[in-house]
Amino acid sequence: MTPPLADWYRGRRVFVTGHTGFKGAWLVAWLRASGAVVTGYALPPEPGRPSLFELAGLSDGIDSVLADVRDRAALQAALGRARPELVFHLAAQSLVRRSYAEPVLTFDTNVIGTAQLLDLVRTVPTVRAVVVVTSDKSYENRDLERGYHEDDPMGGHDPYSASKGCQELVTAAFRRSYLTAAGIATASARAGNVIGGGDWSEDRLVSDLMTAAADGRPCVVRNPEAVRPWQHVLEPLRGYLMLGRALVERGEAFAEGWNFGPHLDDAVTVRELVERMTAAWPRLQAQFGRVVAGPHEARLLRLDNAKAGRRLDWHPALSLDQTVDLTVEWYRGVFADPSTARTLMLEQLREYERRSSGAGQPG
């Protein structure tokens, strides 16, 4: 019988890049709650915006290194000190619209930063597995009604999406050329559009809604008819943790690309998600105007997660309504009392572990 994730990660040395970001902060909270020995490596939280990492005090109990993933010397030193068994690579320039304004930064961070990391893990004898987190937008988007499969071609219209497709190619090249021979099982993970408590990044739907609510104004919603695979942040994180375990235990059999998306029925329009959120919390207000001309954004995006279900026994544990409820619950609590950020994270993590228990026996 495969032990629960929390038991398996207890005492293991784990290196997380991008730990000060939204997904990285939740991953660090989960690993620390499981008793893992965690080193985080990331840029400091963006000044002038709320930070989940800071609000929840997540630097406590970990080695938090604040540096750029493109800084080879700093990254090499941090890996050498950490001596990790597993590496989760989440550091990225993760915003589509920002990628139009800063394309070179986006490619440099997402592509060269990944190459730097994968080149350096070869020099750390303790590393056994690497999970490179890319994106659902790494696929060449053809507005397919079906969900994208792991063997669909990589691509990308905008600089962000193209950089994530390149990140997949870089990961595959390092795996084939170096990492398999070095005994380091390396996989990539592609998730849907994650939401949940603590996302304050610019130009993201939930963050924009919450920022507008804090200012007492309605949020102007762009592209309300765009379809996205919405999921709670803990859903793909469970997939990453399960994949990391499988890589350590089963090696190259799991060293490939993986989708961790919601049920296909939970890929709904921006409009529908906003309407569900405003119904759950009337303080949130939104205005749906006509689509304003701007940088290209995909109209339709869905992921097929059958492979993860079949081979990792990973399945979504939350419905879209449950995802909305958890997200609203966290923000309502923190709006009322910011000091509850960490408590709410841990409570929701425990509740999620209860709902998702029973999954996790790779086949």
Side-chain angles (χ1 to χ4, degrees):
M1 174 68 79
T2 303
L5 279 175
D7 293 342
W8 193 88
Y9 275 91
R10 187 168 296 116
R12 293 186 185 270
R13 303 184 69 84
V14 182
F15 192 92
V16 179
T17 73
H19 71 295
T20 60
F22 171 51
K23 289 173 76 174
W26 275 98
L27 180 58
V28 165
W30 197 334
L31 286 166
R32 285 296 299 127
S34 300
V37 180
V38 180
T39 297
Y41 184 99
L43 292 173
E46 185 179 352
R49 301 188 72 86
S51 160
L52 175 61
F53 181 76
E54 292 178 333
L55 275 173
L58 294 175
S59 61
D60 295 343
I62 73 168
D63 181 10
S64 177
V65 181
L66 300 180
D68 196 313
V69 72
R70 298 170 296 171
D71 185 335
R72 185 178 179 88
L75 184 56
Q76 185 172 28
L79 283 165
R81 288 194 308 272
R83 296 178 292 107
E85 181 180 15
L86 294 96
V87 175
F88 291 95
H89 178 43
L90 284 73
Q93 194 299 95
S94 60
L95 302 173
V96 172
R97 289 169 72 87
R98 184 179 177 189
S99 78
Y100 280 102
E102 299 181 283
V104 175
L105 170 69
T106 300
F107 281 105
D108 198 16
T109 301
N110 296 354
V111 183
I112 302 304
T114 298
Q116 291 273 31
L117 175 74
L118 295 178
D119 193 38
L120 289 172
V121 296
R122 301 191 287 143
T123 69
V124 184
T126 57
V127 176
R128 298 178 62 192
V130 180
V131 176
V132 177
V133 174
T134 63
S135 172
D136 53 357
K137 296 176 182 64
S138 61
Y139 292 107
E140 181 63 39
N141 193 298
R142 293 168 283 163
D143 285 335
L144 296 179
E145 292 290 336
R146 70 161 173 84
Y148 289 94
H149 304 148
E150 283 87 349
D151 57 359
D152 281 327
M154 298 292 105
H157 182 285
D158 56 88
Y160 169 75
S161 301
S163 76
K164 286 298 183 175
C166 291
Q167 191 178 22
E168 289 279 353
L169 298 178
V170 166
T171 300
F174 269 85
R175 178 171 57 239
R176 294 166 179 160
S177 299
Y178 310 109
L179 300 175
T180 297
I184 301 173
T186 305
S188 59
R190 307 148 194 172
N193 281 51
V194 295
I195 65 174
D199 186 6
W200 296 104
S201 299
E202 62 179 338
D203 288 330
R204 283 193 185 147
L205 180 59
V206 172
S207 175
D208 288 350
L209 277 169
M210 298 304 166
T211 300
D215 295 341
R217 58 178 172 81
C219 174
V220 178
V221 178
R222 69 176 190 274
N223 296 331
E225 306 313 319
V227 175
R228 295 290 183 268
W230 309 103
Q231 60 188 153
H232 193 274
V233 62
L234 292 175
E235 298 270 58
L237 293 184
R238 176 166 54 93
Y240 305 163
L241 292 170
M242 292 170 70
L243 179 57
R245 177 176 64 186
L247 289 169
V248 169
E249 293 182 340
R250 306 282 288 277
E252 288 302 305
F254 289 83
E256 51 196 34
W258 297 83
N259 287 342
F260 298 104
H263 296 295
L264 287 180
D265 290 346
D266 286 339
V268 302
T269 64
V270 169
R271 180 187 299 275
E272 182 171 343
L273 180 69
V274 170
E275 288 174 346
R276 292 191 191 209
M277 294 196 67
T278 53
W281 192 14
R283 176 171 178 172
L284 303 177
Q285 302 175 61
Q287 291 180 350
F288 300 102
R290 62 183 179 83
V291 177
V292 178
H296 172 273
E297 294 185 74
R299 178 188 67 85
L300 176 64
L301 188 54
R302 290 189 174 103
L303 287 178
D304 183 288
N305 59 27
K307 175 181 167 181
R310 184 176 66 252
R311 298 195 51 211
L312 284 169
D313 197 18
W314 178 92
H315 307 276
L318 302 174
S319 68
L320 184 57
D321 283 336
Q322 289 170 325
T323 293
V324 167
D325 288 345
L326 284 173
T327 301
V328 167
E329 176 186 79
W330 191 91
Y331 282 103
R332 289 183 78 155
V334 170
F335 272 43
D337 182 359
S339 70
T340 62
R342 184 168 185 159
T343 300
L344 286 166
M345 284 185 81
L346 296 177
E347 288 176 352
Q348 291 193 346
L349 178 54
R350 285 192 292 269
E351 174 62 16
Y352 179 77
E353 287 180 309
R354 184 190 66 76
R355 293 183 184 184
S356 62
S357 62
Q361 298 185 33

